Amino acid sequence: MPDHCPTASGRTAAHAAPHTALAPPGPPPGWLVPLFAVACGSAVADVYFAQPLLVTLGERFALGPGLLGAIVAVTQLGYAAGLLLLVPLGDLVDRRTLIPCQLGLLAAALLAVGLAPGAGALLAALAAVGALAVVAQTMVAAAAHLTAPAHRGRVVGSVTSGVITGILLARTVAGTVADLAGWRAVYLLSAGLTATLALLLRRVLPAGRPPAAGLPYRRLPASTVGLFVRTPLLLVRGGLAFLVFAAFSTLWSSVVQPLSAPPWSLTHTAIGAFGLAGAAGALAAGAAGRWNDRGLAQRTTGTALVLLAVSWLPLAFTRQSLWALAVGAVLLDFAVQAVHVTNQTLVHAVRPDAGSRIIGGYMVFYSAGSALGATGSSVAYAAAGWTAVAALGAAFSCAALLLWAATRRLHDRTAPPPPATADPPATADPAPPAATDA
């Protein structure tokens, strides 16, 4: 367990380097971005381990089909709480202290899941896992903060590629390990890996005084809410995140049920392997970052949302064809991650000095949408089968497309200008908008 955990006031025992107002001259050191990507992927994978195991967990803890979504929903609600309460600490506490500390606590929560004796203990531990897994978003904000604007889209895309890879491998690894050693081994092994990453990052992360070090912790949540209330672009991009991740969770939280039942009756390993069909999502993350750096954020968003809506046409035939599921999963994951990276790059550019708060607030929409999709898809499947699930996912996707179309002019008026493609000299950060923190 890493030492020097932050106190509630935001002070740490570590001595941070003085903060500078100068923008970074380029991307972070070459070794730091891949390390962030690996650590982010590992943290986010913990949130998705349960998806291919839902039927097994339901049988082990006597949860009916209509309640399986609660396993995913409680993790996502914990994630939402962590986003609002923990991620903003990245603007207040030295990240060299904060990130390893959160990873150490996450390892403890994973251990509690692996040893859970009953349904209540399982759900409580999963909520803690969700809350602490938000360290991934602290690392995304850290990567963006350490990067010059001209490179920010590519760096955020690279780190987010690690997140997507973690989500994909989570299903595959969870299914394979569960078949070989039982579902508890999935969480126990992850606890050991997470503790190792905590110790490694404690040694290699650069220290530095965070941008809001003088702001009391008690003002961080209200400051986050104030930023979104006063900035329409943040609300619009948050709304898009809510809807696209509701569609994402509608698929991946419920597809285990038809795949586990006749005529497919697939094993944990086979079900988890279907997550790899969405590997295009990792490619979309890097590509979307580069497109945003070229000023193509709106075009990327619109094209991706059309693909998201179209993806539910093949997905509707999952009970008849596994190929249809694979094609639909590729389209859906590519579209969701393209929108997600574009969103993160745009919202961080609104107030780089409040990057952790903005990323945390944005991801609350993501988590709330994921929880809604998980709960709604379980209820829909119990009531009317896979057809109802596909209709629900298509409804979320079309709603996202309509929201984007209705707010295009607002985006054109309020979005920050695209960064210059050439490496700019180190200069002072641009002045923030007139609206300031509460």
Side-chain angles (χ1 to χ4, degrees), residues 32-415:
L32 189 56
V33 173
L35 184 57
F36 270 144
V38 171
C40 286
S42 175
V44 172
D46 297 327
V47 178
Y48 292 92
F49 279 147
Q51 289 185 351
L53 310 176
L54 286 177
V55 173
T56 296
L57 292 173
E59 293 172 352
R60 168 63 179 81
F61 294 101
L63 299 173
L67 294 176
L68 293 183
I71 295 173
V72 177
V74 73
T75 310
Q76 292 293 344
L77 291 174
Y79 201 83
L83 290 167
L84 188 61
L85 300 175
L86 298 181
V87 174
L89 283 170
D91 289 338
L92 184 63
V93 179
D94 180 5
R95 294 185 179 102
R96 185 171 181 264
T97 296
L98 179 63
I99 291 171
C101 182
Q102 287 186 333
L103 284 170
L105 294 173
L106 176 58
L110 289 164
L111 185 63
V113 174
L115 300 177
L122 175 74
L123 294 176
L126 284 172
V129 167
L132 292 162
V134 299
V135 66
Q137 301 311 317
T138 302
M139 288 186 278
V140 170
H145 180 74
L146 293 169
T147 306
H151 302 274
R152 192 166 288 147
R154 279 167 282 178
V155 168
V156 170
S158 296
V159 175
T160 304
S161 294
V163 173
I164 308 313
T165 302
I167 294 173
L168 296 172
L169 291 180
R171 302 186 187 104
T172 304
V173 170
T176 302
V177 173
D179 280 340
L180 293 175
W183 70 270
R184 293 184 187 273
V186 175
Y187 291 95
L188 296 176
L189 289 173
S190 183
L193 174 62
T194 303
T196 301
L197 284 169
L199 295 173
L200 176 62
L201 285 167
R202 175 63 187 171
R203 292 179 61 88
V204 303
L205 276 173
R209 184 174 175 82
L215 187 68
Y217 172 77
R218 65 181 180 273
R219 291 181 57 191
L220 285 178
S223 172
T224 303
V225 173
L227 286 167
F228 277 78
V229 168
R230 293 189 296 270
T231 313
L233 176 65
L234 298 182
L235 286 177
V236 170
R237 288 288 159 171
L240 289 176
F242 176 84
L243 291 168
V244 299
F245 279 101
F248 180 86
S249 188
T250 295
L251 172 63
W252 292 115
S253 297
S254 59
V255 74
V256 63
Q257 298 196 62
L259 294 182
S260 299
W264 305 125
S265 301
L266 299 182
T267 65
H268 292 121
T269 302
I271 293 172
F274 264 94
L276 296 177
L283 300 176
R290 293 191 296 272
W291 295 333
N292 185 79
D293 287 344
R294 294 166 54 193
L296 301 176
Q298 277 288 69
R299 187 179 303 178
T300 300
T301 303
T303 302
L305 290 174
V306 170
L307 290 177
L308 181 63
V310 170
S311 71
W312 288 99
L313 295 176
L315 288 173
F317 294 95
T318 293
R319 292 189 62 84
Q320 290 75 40
S321 169
L322 295 180
W323 282 107
L325 170 60
V327 171
V330 168
L331 293 175
L332 182 139
D333 278 11
F334 187 97
V336 167
Q337 301 311 327
V339 175
H340 184 43
V341 172
T342 302
N343 283 350
Q344 288 188 104
T345 306
L346 287 176
V347 300
H348 187 277
V350 170
R351 283 286 303 275
D353 62 304
S356 288
R357 280 167 283 169
I358 286 178
I359 292 292
Y362 162 79
M363 291 297 293
V364 169
F365 290 89
Y366 153 98
S367 192
S370 295
L372 176 63
T375 304
S377 63
S378 292
V379 172
Y381 190 84
W386 185 253
T387 300
V389 172
L392 179 66
F396 286 136
S397 303
C398 291
L401 181 59
L402 290 174
L403 174 61
W404 170 78
T407 58
R408 287 188 66 186
R409 291 184 179 179
L410 171 67
H411 178 279
D412 293 338
R413 292 197 307 268
T414 61

